Amino acid sequence: MSEHIIVCSTTSHMLKGEKVLRTAGIPVRLIPTPKKYGRLCTTAIVIPSEMKQEAEAILSSEKVQYTGIYEFEPFKVENLLPEDGRVGEDFAGLIKKIEAGQDLSLKEIERLLASENPLEVEALLAAGDKMRQKTVGDVVDIRGGIEFSNYCRKNCNYCGLRRANTSLLRYRMTPEEIIKAAVEMRKLGLSTVILQSGEDPWYTEEKMVEILRGIKSETGMRITMSIGERPRHELEAFRKAGANNYLLRIESANREVFKLAHPDDDYDVRVKNIRDLKELGYVTGSGCIVGLPGQRPEHLAEDIVFLRDMGINMVGLGPFLPARNTPFENLPPGDLLMSLKMVAVARLVLKHVFIPSTTAMATLSPDGLKRGLLSGANVIMVNFTPTAFRKSYEIYSNKAVVTLQWAVDLVKSLGRKLPPYIKETA
Ligand code: SF4
């Protein structure tokens, strides 16, 4: 089936276009906009070619601005499987489908994730790595995170920052301390800072705007925010003040698994918040925990489909790790191999996206960070939280601290490339 791709002038037009086309019964899917079609909006709409004229008429009557509708050439690759790969015929068929640029169904994604055949698992992780090389190349992006507050108004069952955890020593960094930490990061060459916290209303819209403006004027860095759900008008103010990216994890796209982990969250509100971010023009990140109670491979397949359908550009995937003094503290950790399979499948399905090898992988296994990079990941998050506070940002217990030196040494040892902004300091 041939397809056409619609590239809109802004994210809000893309989202409006997707909605009106879907409502009119046209099958649509979202993909990160391939570079050759322009980068005005980071997400593009794909439709069946035979519905192009109908779609054009709808977009024009609904005043959706788009820069073009092009014949969509699927991203084709070769040799994702080793020649001597002794894998199941159906497994090989799915990898061939990916090579031909075709989308996998939910069931097909589940088939890849559920495989326990060691040869298939090995082939899957290697295929994720090959796709990483063919889509985003060998450079490993290095980003620095500042965990500026461990107060949280929520009570997620897996998280050590939950408000009911009274044994945690709480801290808040002042705007000056946060800006200073960003300046230190910039001096080491980093170009993106991640501001991370629990959901802490002490940081009002005004305070966050002050922090964002301060970081922009002092460092010029790109800013990623990861501070949980916020009202749309605040997200808009943060965007205007200089925030570029926003990470808001769904944690599980399956409603039941989500509910079990988030007693005081509403699934639909979370999804709406992620949509708001896209409409406001953020490069949007989301992600999932692997190994939550009640989660099965079909739920993880739902996660991948959710990330694909929402057109997510940054994808964080990591194992569940138990945190002291939480309802889930005695549960076993998530499986590293399943987390790696998720990274590989995310890369194979989502293609041109940023996928970090997460701190949770590094915490679960000494070689977790490395194995993530060898399964499809292309980003490392380095911890720049001042030492005095690091131990208290205990979202899970015994959290590893990924340092810049560790990241640089790892990238070099794998023969991958450091980003140019890091080179001079390495
Ligand atoms: S996961 Fe986020 S929102 Fe939930 S308790 Fe932890 S910090 Fe708060």
Side-chain angles (χ1 to χ4, degrees):
M1 181 184 74
S2 69
E3 292 179 309
H4 271 67
I5 181 167
I6 304 169
V7 180
C8 293
S9 49
T10 64
T11 308
S12 59
H13 279 282
M14 179 275 296
L15 286 167
K16 185 177 171 194
E18 189 257 353
K19 192 172 170 189
V20 295
L21 294 175
R22 192 164 25 87
T23 311
I26 295 183
V28 289
R29 62 190 173 89
L30 300 179
I31 60 163
T33 311
K35 271 197 189 116
K36 65 178 178 177
Y37 299 111
R39 300 288 297 172
L40 285 167
C41 173
T42 52
T43 306
I45 307 168
V46 177
I47 57 163
S49 293
E50 69 265 24
M51 301 186 111
K52 175 174 172 270
Q53 278 187 338
E54 193 184 331
E56 277 173 320
I58 294 167
L59 295 177
S60 131
S61 77
E62 294 290 336
K63 300 195 173 25
V64 176
Q65 291 171 13
Y66 56 94
T67 56
I69 303 186
Y70 313 95
E71 202 171 322
F72 180 48
E73 289 171 35
F75 186 77
K76 293 184 188 170
V77 291
E78 290 177 339
N79 305 322
L80 287 179
L81 276 179
E83 275 175 19
D84 61 344
R86 287 160 290 148
V87 296
E89 219 172 282
D90 61 331
F91 179 93
L94 296 180
I95 301 293
K96 291 278 167 219
K97 224 173 149 177
I98 294 167
E99 287 180 351
Q102 294 169 13
D103 268 346
L104 298 189
S105 69
L106 183 73
K107 277 276 157 219
E108 289 171 332
I109 292 171
E110 184 190 336
R111 162 68 180 92
L112 293 180
L113 290 170
S115 176
E116 290 184 354
N117 171 340
L119 293 172
E120 288 185 357
V121 173
E122 194 187 324
L124 181 67
L125 304 189
D129 192 42
K130 282 182 199 157
M131 183 63 94
R132 182 272 310 155
Q133 210 276 329
K134 289 166 196 282
T135 50
V136 292
D138 285 335
V139 174
V140 178
D141 206 13
I142 297 182
R143 299 177 177 191
I146 304 168
E147 297 149 340
F148 64 89
S149 163
N150 69 351
Y151 281 84
C152 190
R153 67 190 175 96
K154 290 210 173 139
N155 235 350
C156 305
N157 284 332
Y158 52 84
C159 179
L161 306 196
R162 66 200 306 269
R163 67 172 186 273
N165 183 4
T166 50
S167 62
L168 188 68
L169 192 65
R170 303 280 174 172
Y171 71 88
R172 286 187 177 111
M173 289 170 65
T174 63
E176 295 72 30
E177 286 172 324
I178 299 169
I179 295 165
K180 188 166 167 246
V183 169
E184 291 306 313
M185 203 183 284
R186 185 70 195 117
K187 281 185 196 158
L188 293 170
L190 278 88
S191 62
T192 301
V193 53
I194 303 167
L195 300 180
Q196 189 173 0
S197 70
E199 291 202 9
D200 184 358
W202 186 84
Y203 294 89
T204 57
E205 179 183 323
E206 293 69 31
K207 277 203 185 80
M208 282 315 305
V209 164
E210 177 195 341
I211 293 164
L212 293 166
R213 288 207 180 120
I215 292 176
K216 273 287 170 196
S217 68
E218 299 266 330
T219 71
M221 293 171 95
R222 283 183 70 81
I223 303 173
T224 299
M225 301 184 79
S226 177
I227 63 170
E229 291 172 8
R230 289 279 184 147
R232 185 181 167 111
H233 67 88
E234 291 193 9
L235 297 174
E236 195 167 1
F238 302 156
R239 182 89 184 94
K240 283 189 185 139
N244 308 92
N245 316 329
Y246 204 107
L247 301 172
L248 186 57
R249 293 167 63 114
I250 188 77
E251 307 298 12
S252 173
N254 177 272
R255 284 175 184 272
E256 282 169 32
V257 178
F258 180 93
K259 191 70 212 161
L260 211 61
H262 302 99
D264 49 8
D265 266 321
D266 181 316
Y267 183 93
D268 293 314
V269 169
R270 179 68 55 94
V271 173
K272 161 86 173 55
N273 230 234
I274 296 174
R275 284 194 148 259
D276 282 343
L277 292 168
K278 292 191 70 73
E279 280 176 19
L280 293 167
Y282 282 97
V283 175
T284 307
S286 191
C288 304
I289 300 177
V290 179
L292 285 169
Q295 197 181 43
R296 297 189 299 274
E298 68 250 40
H299 301 138
L300 294 168
E302 279 179 49
D303 292 344
I304 298 284
V305 170
F306 173 87
L307 297 165
R308 179 178 71 189
D309 291 351
M310 292 291 286
I312 297 298
N313 302 94
M314 301 179 290
V315 176
L317 300 161
F320 160 73
L321 292 163
R324 281 181 279 270
N325 306 308
T326 64
F328 289 177
E329 71 176 324
N330 294 318
L331 294 179
D335 181 44
L336 180 65
L337 207 52
M338 183 53 98
S339 307
L340 295 169
K341 286 196 268 181
M342 280 292 279
V343 168
V345 173
R347 174 63 69 199
L348 290 167
V349 171
L350 308 170
K351 302 186 176 71
H352 300 82
V353 292
F354 289 96
I355 304 181
S357 189
T358 53
T359 306
M361 304 254 214
T363 304
L364 187 59
S365 166
D367 64 353
L369 208 59
K370 173 177 160 186
R371 294 179 72 186
L373 288 178
L374 291 174
S375 304
N378 69 322
V379 181
I380 299 179
M381 312 274 206
V382 171
N383 192 316
F384 278 88
T385 307
T387 326
F389 302 126
R390 267 182 208 170
K391 256 187 159 322
S392 300
Y393 203 83
E394 203 185 62
I395 46 177
Y396 45 79
S397 299
N398 309 314
K399 188 160 73 106
V401 175
V402 179
T403 62
L404 183 56
Q405 197 57 52
W406 182 2
V408 168
D409 291 347
L410 179 58
V411 172
K412 284 181 175 171
S413 74
L414 294 176
R416 299 272 279 274
K417 292 182 188 150
L418 289 167
Y421 52 84
I422 291 288
K423 248 180 202 161
E424 297 147 32
T425 60

